[in-house]
Amino acid sequence: MSRSIRPDAVLVQAVIAGALSFAHLHDLAAAAGQSGWKAWAYPISVDLLLVAAWHRLRTARRDRSAWTWFVIALAASLGANIATAGLLDLAHVPAWLRILVAGWPALAFLGGTLLVHSPADPPPSAPPADEPSAPEVEMHRTDEPGPEPAPAAPVPELTPAPPQPAASVPAVPAALLDHARKIADAHQASTGSPMPADALSARLQLPASMADAIAAELQLT
């Protein structure tokens, strides 16, 4: 099945613009003293430099030299279009324009060589293959029962401490015991009741252990 050919307005416009620019460059080169096939080579040289700079801009957008050569080729094309529009007398071309046209082949060759052989932008660096990847996190289900707790260690039985020996009762001198008995008897005779042990201890001003021993001998409460 044959496909119908539809004319593209942009493509047609590009062909027309290219043909007119090609003709203007040819006329300017011929007026500057480049006759024959040399006049036809100049438009090709300008267009090739323009295409090479445009291609470089697509592959390396940060390359400033590509913009420089693109502007130079565009200025050559626009300059030829303007010069052949009646602003320049092609029968009397100035000397500086003849020099510029004569030096164009070397300039175009330099620009094309730099655009083709300049390194492109380096691709984004990939991580090394032997670099260890991040450890995977193992997921655990929360509804599964957890591990059973370990049994508690048995508590050792405590051995009861041996009973402490009772404090030895100090020996009471006989003279002190007689003196205490006299005081207790006098208290009982005057009051009619036995003398309390704490009162006897306060009266004699003795240590507690000695006072307790005397109270035990006299059977005081």
Side-chain angles (χ1 to χ4, degrees), residues 33-130:
Q34 306 296 329
S35 60
W37 64 270
K38 294 181 291 184
W40 294 103
Y42 274 88
I44 300 175
S45 175
V46 173
D47 291 342
L48 287 179
L49 182 60
L50 192 63
V51 171
W54 174 78
H55 179 72
R56 180 66 179 178
L57 289 176
R58 294 188 58 187
T59 56
R61 297 182 180 273
R62 298 181 180 180
D63 190 358
R64 297 182 178 179
S65 63
W67 282 105
T68 301
W69 292 110
F70 182 83
V71 171
I72 291 175
L74 185 61
S77 179
L78 291 177
N81 295 335
I82 296 173
T84 55
L87 300 179
L88 180 66
D89 186 6
L90 297 180
H92 301 86
V93 177
W96 64 266
L97 184 57
R98 293 177 179 271
I99 297 174
L100 183 61
V101 172
W104 172 259
L107 182 65
F109 176 76
L110 177 62
T113 303
L114 293 177
L115 290 173
V116 172
H117 296 285
S118 298
D121 293 340
S125 58
D130 55 351

Side-chain angles (χ1 to χ4, degrees), residues 129-152:
D130 55 351
E131 182 178 356
S133 58
E136 298 181 357
V137 180
E138 185 178 358
M139 305 298 294
H140 297 277
R141 295 181 56 184
T142 56
D143 55 349
E144 294 182 357
E148 297 182 358

Side-chain angles (χ1 to χ4, degrees), residues 15 19 29 31 98 111 123 132 156 190 196:
V15 172
R98 293 177 179 271
S190 61

